[in-house]
């Protein structure tokens, strides 16, 4: 066990029961020309967390611990994409439309894949999810149970949407959740701050928050 000086109070890390979940670090959200950019967002904000996220992933790999990656994407025929999701917002390109990196957020297309700097190693679990939360319509719960996981460390994008949704799903399922604050980001910095405040409020009502360095130091101890 290792103690991390986290918000709102110390987090006791049990490495052999801990997995890292890296949420949706995909080209469509992070690189110019992808879906995030078509929504009018500044994708450089998300791109900036790649080095910290890489350090976190490397720390888990050195420790021989489970690393799980997720991708938000849909079947080519959009059968798993509700009409309300497909039509929401006012992007210049919608889910399924042809874009610079293939069809937007479609499984198997270049844009839906994970950025090269954070690419999964052979044997690491990659989960394609049709919703915001990584537990919905995926095998994530079964995978975690089979591995005996009780604690989850989270990284990825965006903090207030897919990351927070998955943390809340995990919290409801009894997992202790820790968010790596400099390995997550939003297109709206104020939303990131608000999400972290909500997660850690009322005695870690959803979970804890700590920096990548704090987490990696605990893994290396």
């Amino acid at each position: 066990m290792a103690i991390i000086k986290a918000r709102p109070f110390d987090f006791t890390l049990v490495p052999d029961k801990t997995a890292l979940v890296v949420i949706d670090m995909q080209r469509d959200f992070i690189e110019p020309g992808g879906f995030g950019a078509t929504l009018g967002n500044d994708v450089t904000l998300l791109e900036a967390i790649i080095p910290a996220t890489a350090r976190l992933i490397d720390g888990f790999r050195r420790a021989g611990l489970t690393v799980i990656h997720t991708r938000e994407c849909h079947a080519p025929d959009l059968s798993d994409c509700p009409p309300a999701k497909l039509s929401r917002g006012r992007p210049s390109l919608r889910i399924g439309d042809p874009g610079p990196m293939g069809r937007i957020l479609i499984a198997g297309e270049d844009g839906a894949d994970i950025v090269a700097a954070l690419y999964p190693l052979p044997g690491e679990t990659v989960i394609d999810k049709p919703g915001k939360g990584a537990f919905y319509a995926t095998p994530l719960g079964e995978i975690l149970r089979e591995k005996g996981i009780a604690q989850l460390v989270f990284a990825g994008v965006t903090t207030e949407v897919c990351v927070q949704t998955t943390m809340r799903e995990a919290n409801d399922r009894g997992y202790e959740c820790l968010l790596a604050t400099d390995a997550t980001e939003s297109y709206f910095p104020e939303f990131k701050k608000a999400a972290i405040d909500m997660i850690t409020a009322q005695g870690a009502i959803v979970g804890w928050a700590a920096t990548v360095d704090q987490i990696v130091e605990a893994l290396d101890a």
Side-chain angles (χ1 to χ4, degrees), residues 22 25 49-58 118 155-156 182-184 212:
V22 185
M25 292 296 285
I49 68 165
I50 289 176
T53 307
R55 291 202 317 275
L56 183 61
I57 293 172
D58 287 345
L118 305 177
D182 47 339
T184 185
V212 167

Side-chain angles (χ1 to χ4, degrees), residues 21 27 31 42 45 49 52 56 72 82 89 91 124-125 127 129 152 155 166 169 177 187 205 217 219:
V21 182
R27 298 182 65 196
E31 294 184 5
D42 178 3
L45 293 170
I49 68 165
L56 183 61
E72 182 179 352
E124 289 181 344
T125 298
I127 292 176
K129 60 185 185 65
L152 297 173
T166 305
E169 288 181 326
C177 301
Y187 298 120
I205 192 167
E217 286 171 8
L219 294 174

Side-chain angles (χ1 to χ4, degrees), residues 1-2 26 30 39 52 58 68 74 153 177 180 186-187 189 213 215:
M1 294 190 298
Q26 297 163 249
I30 294 170
L39 291 165
D58 287 345
I68 296 171
H74 296 279
V153 175
C177 301
S186 170
Y187 298 120
D213 286 345
I215 297 167

Side-chain angles (χ1 to χ4, degrees), residues 7-164:
R7 290 177 54 189
F9 53 86
D10 291 354
F11 182 86
T12 301
L13 183 75
V14 184
D16 62 353
K17 293 186 178 296
T18 301
L20 172 63
V21 182
V22 185
I23 303 286
D24 299 357
M25 292 296 285
Q26 297 163 249
R27 298 182 65 196
D28 260 334
F29 295 133
I30 294 170
E31 294 184 5
F35 189 53
T38 72
L39 291 165
N41 297 308
D42 178 3
V43 296
T44 63
L45 293 170
L46 274 55
E47 183 182 30
I49 68 165
I50 289 176
T53 307
R55 291 202 317 275
L56 183 61
I57 293 172
D58 287 345
F60 269 77
R61 288 171 175 167
R62 283 197 309 273
L65 302 182
T66 297
V67 178
I68 296 171
H69 308 260
T70 76
R71 300 180 292 208
E72 182 179 352
C73 54
H74 296 279
D77 64 359
L78 298 177
S79 58
D80 58 357
C81 186
K85 180 179 182 181
L86 189 62
S87 63
R88 196 168 303 157
R90 299 179 62 86
S92 58
L93 294 173
R94 295 192 181 277
I95 295 171
D97 286 349
M101 295 178 281
R103 294 178 66 200
I104 298 292
L105 291 185
I106 296 299
E109 300 284 347
D110 289 345
D113 210 354
I114 294 164
V115 296
L118 305 177
Y119 209 76
L121 293 180
E124 289 181 344
T125 298
V126 181
I127 292 176
D128 288 343
K129 60 185 185 65
K132 308 303 183 195
F135 286 86
Y136 169 69
T138 78
L140 178 58
E142 291 88 344
I143 290 168
L144 296 176
R145 284 192 294 274
E146 289 173 1
K147 292 179 177 293
I149 299 298
Q151 297 181 330
L152 297 173
V153 175
F154 286 92
V157 298
T158 61
T159 314
E160 77 281 7
V161 184
C162 294
V163 176
Q164 182 177 202

